[in-house]
Structures are given as structure tokens and as C-alpha cells.
Amino acid sequence: MDAFKSSRNRPIQPIGNLRIVPGVVAGALRNSLADPHGLRYGFLRTVWVELKRFGARNVRTVELARIRGIHRVSVEGPVVRHGTLVVSAIATLLECERIFEFGTSDGETSRLLAQNLPAAEIYSFDHASETARGRDGPIPTASATRIANLYGDSETFDFSPYSGSIDLVHIDGTRRVESLRADADAAFGMLSELGSIIWYGYSYQPALYAFLNRLAPDLDRPIYHLLGTRLAVYSRWDIVVN
């Protein structure tokens, strides 16, 4: 206790990054010996994600805090799926009335959206499969009547009943690699006047990363990658604060 009191009386010296470099390097070496695979894998994965983000030619990276009005939004859900919470927060912010999802057959995002937007109509689209129907079953929520499960191939499915009326399209690009172009074409055809598209997996799935960087220059508005997430967003609403 006496040592603690004496340390409190010492003036606090400013510390910059250079001062802590030796300790950080020593700690990294120590931990690499204790758990070499875990450290290398985590470190290299983080570096690769940052390199992709920095090297993206056409998709702009922005902090989540730059989403206009996002600080006023509160949503409820499991913290382990940060991206799902962000999707729900954006849908809440935009006051979405109709939401269309591609490739979210586990139902988790749909359930969270239904929970946080009790008045929204939600459509969950996936590949036609009796096996998938049997595995997934109905979504077990009190709002299940507002969640319509649709099945088919996005190359041939008739999306015209939803044309120009969907406020948010959510595409899980990690599960829909083979149909990225067809899903995007359908999504843009369904968007309402101020509609938005959110792709999940941008910083994780190489095919989605490449696809969105090719697509972005052809669009009327930017595609944004939200820093700290795997999400990329296109919106007809002025969603980002400059």
C-alpha cells in the first residue's frame, strides 16, 4: 500500500508508441512460442484483411460512427454476431418496412431483424431444397408470420412482385458465392427509392471482395466497407457523414 501511495505521487510521463515497442515485440515472441499456430494465424489474418482494405480500388472504408444517425439507434441481440447487430441497427435506422435476405438459411439474422423491427415484412430467400426446408423449418419467433421463406434459383426466380418496394436487401456473400451477380441484379431491381444493400463477407470472402470492387465503378453511388465488420453497404440514402 505504501508503494502504491508513493507511485501515485510520481508525475505521469507521456508515453508514445516507440516507448512500448520493445515490450510489444517481446510479448509477441513469448506468445508465439507458447501458442505459435494461434498467434501466427490470427496475426496473418488481421494483416491480410488490412491489406485488402487498404488496397481496395473502388470500395471505400468508413468507420461505423460515420453512418448518419447511427449513434441514436439501439438494438438487441447476441454480441457474438457483431455483423448481424450492425445489419439490424442500419435497418432500424432506415425504418425499413420491407427487407429481403439472400442466403441466411440459419434464420438468425431474420429473427434479429423481426425482433428489432416488429412492423417489418421480411423475406428470406435460399436455394430450392426439400432438405434445406426440413433442416431449417419455420423460424421460431413470435413474429414468424412476418417472415416469408422463399426458395429458388436467383437466375430464374421471378422477383417482379418485389420490384421497387424493398427498403433493405441483405446478401450473405459467404454462402452465395456462385450467384453474386444474379443476387446483385435482383437486389437492385427490388430496391425502393431510398433502398440499401448490405453484403456480408466483404473482408472475408475473396470472391465477394473482387466482385464488389469490380461492381462499384458502375454504380451511381459508392459502396462502403464498414471498418471493423465484414459488411459492405450501398445506399440510395445519403448514409455516410462526410
Side-chain angles (χ1 to χ4, degrees):
M1 181 62 72
D2 290 340
F4 174 71
K5 289 181 178 179
S6 63
S7 66
R8 290 175 57 185
N9 294 326
R10 297 173 188 169
I12 298 176
Q13 299 295 326
I15 297 178
N17 284 323
L18 290 177
R19 288 278 300 276
I20 65 174
V21 166
V24 171
V25 172
L29 291 174
R30 181 176 61 252
N31 291 335
S32 67
L33 294 175
D35 183 17
H37 174 74
L39 179 70
R40 283 198 302 269
Y41 177 76
F43 178 73
L44 292 176
R45 181 178 62 183
T46 300
V47 170
W48 179 235
V49 167
E50 291 302 308
L51 283 173
K52 287 193 295 183
R53 178 180 67 81
F54 189 73
R57 298 179 61 183
N58 301 307
V59 174
R60 308 177 188 178
T61 297
V62 297
E63 294 181 354
L64 183 58
R66 287 183 58 194
I67 298 297
R68 190 182 304 276
I70 197 70
H71 62 281
R72 299 193 302 267
V73 176
S74 296
V75 294
E76 297 180 358
V79 296
V80 293
R81 291 292 299 274
H82 175 59
T84 304
L85 284 174
V86 174
V87 171
S88 296
I90 293 175
T92 301
L93 172 66
L94 299 178
E95 299 180 349
C96 295
E97 297 179 355
R98 304 186 86 196
I99 300 170
F100 201 105
E101 294 195 295
F102 286 92
T104 56
S105 57
D106 60 5
E108 182 176 351
T109 309
S110 298
R111 290 192 295 271
L112 195 58
L113 286 166
Q115 175 183 333
N116 287 285
L117 289 95
E121 297 176 12
I122 302 170
Y123 302 90
S124 180
F125 180 87
D126 219 320
H127 295 294
S129 170
E130 291 301 323
T131 302
R133 292 171 191 252
R135 181 186 68 242
D136 298 325
I139 298 176
T141 68
S143 306
T145 55
R146 293 184 293 101
I147 303 174
N149 290 299
L150 306 175
Y151 299 91
D153 184 338
S154 53
E155 292 276 2
T156 58
F157 190 83
D158 180 13
F159 293 100
S160 60
Y162 314 97
S163 179
S165 68
I166 301 299
D167 301 311
L168 177 66
V169 178
H170 175 226
I171 302 173
D172 188 340
T174 63
R175 302 188 184 195
R176 308 277 303 177
V177 174
E178 301 302 323
S179 57
L180 290 175
R181 168 58 68 180
D183 289 350
D185 288 344
F188 281 102
M190 290 189 290
L191 280 190
S192 62
E193 184 179 355
L194 293 178
S196 304
I197 304 174
I198 299 178
W199 288 268
Y200 176 81
Y202 170 75
S203 60
Y204 174 77
Q205 172 54 252
L208 179 59
Y209 174 87
F211 172 74
L212 292 183
N213 275 281
R214 289 195 305 268
L215 176 66
D218 297 331
L219 301 179
D220 58 329
R221 299 182 67 85
I223 295 179
Y224 296 101
H225 166 53
L226 301 183
L227 188 63
T229 76
R230 295 180 178 182
L231 305 177
V233 181
Y234 164 91
S235 183
R236 290 176 174 170
W237 182 66
D238 190 12
I239 198 170
V240 171
V241 178
N242 293 324

